[in-house]
Amino acid sequence: MEISARRGDDGAYILQLGNVEFDLPEDVVDALYEVVDQRLHHAENLDDENLKEKITFYHNLATKIAGIDDRLVQKFAPKVSAEQLVTIARLAEGDVLYNKILRNLSRQNRRQFEDDYAHMDKITEQHACYHMEQMVPLIKQAAAEHKALQDEIRQEQVGELE
């Protein structure tokens, strides 16, 4: 849509949006400018706050994954990209998840992951959020499969005891 603005013969501003025209007095244009300016600056602050909350959530998630069974890592690691795997390893607290990922990869994939980890040493918060948003469904799916398997094993053990 094409937007244009001009002054009319009477001094009023004429704002044209496509084939619709608005005649606006100067005080309305000033108020409109203030509202747009405020919304733009307020949106930046909200975006920063949301980004910080997401990073905190993903940091906690990655740290929790570091403490779970290796089989869960085995399920989701082959399904994600190198960037995603490096991102989650870097978000986790300490080297526990990094070592867990290494332990659960084949020798060739392990070397590739180590190279990727060394080369991807500067990941922005925006990229980290992007990669983690893509991984969360895969992690949830792997966790659900793992939980179902654990429940099945428990039921078998209960059946053997009876």
Side-chain angles (χ1 to χ4, degrees):
M1 174 186 310
E2 189 174 322
I3 300 173
S4 62
R6 59 181 161 69
R7 274 193 184 248
D9 295 334
D10 60 351
Y13 289 94
I14 299 172
L15 184 63
Q16 185 174 5
L17 306 167
N19 39 345
V20 176
E21 284 188 5
F22 296 98
D23 291 335
L24 304 171
E26 192 169 342
D27 59 333
V28 172
V29 172
D30 290 339
L32 183 61
Y33 174 80
E34 287 179 29
V35 168
V36 169
D37 186 54
Q38 181 184 11
R39 294 263 171 100
L40 288 175
H41 287 93
H42 184 66
E44 286 177 10
N45 293 339
L46 282 178
D47 287 346
D48 289 344
E49 290 173 22
N50 288 338
L51 184 63
K52 296 294 182 202
E53 286 178 18
K54 284 182 179 182
I55 289 295
T56 302
F57 171 77
Y58 293 138
H59 170 73
N60 292 338
L61 177 64
T63 303
K64 284 180 185 177
I65 289 173
I68 60 168
D69 194 55
D70 286 359
R71 286 179 279 186
L72 184 61
V73 175
Q74 292 169 1
K75 287 185 182 221
F76 81 84
K79 297 177 184 177
V80 299
S81 69
E83 293 88 359
Q84 292 169 327
L85 210 51
V86 168
T87 299
I88 196 166
R90 289 199 178 279
L91 282 173
E93 199 168 303
D95 290 338
V96 177
L97 185 57
Y98 173 80
N99 292 325
K100 184 173 284 222
I101 291 170
L102 284 178
R103 195 170 49 244
N104 288 287
L105 293 174
S106 66
R107 209 174 315 147
Q108 180 180 355
N109 288 342
R110 187 178 310 137
R111 280 193 296 267
Q112 184 62 49
F113 175 71
E114 288 172 325
D115 290 345
D116 292 338
Y117 190 85
H119 287 89
M120 293 181 212
D121 60 339
K122 294 180 182 168
I123 299 173
T124 65
E125 290 179 337
Q126 288 84 6
H127 281 109
C129 284
Y130 173 74
H131 293 306
M132 290 300 294
E133 285 169 358
Q134 292 178 330
M135 284 182 60
V136 167
L138 296 172
I139 293 169
K140 283 183 179 179
Q141 179 185 7
E145 290 173 6
H146 182 71
K147 185 178 183 310
L149 182 63
Q150 293 294 84
D151 290 344
E152 187 177 308
I153 291 170
R154 282 190 198 111
Q155 287 178 353
E156 289 176 4
Q157 289 173 345
V158 168
E160 289 175 4
L161 292 175
E162 293 175 349

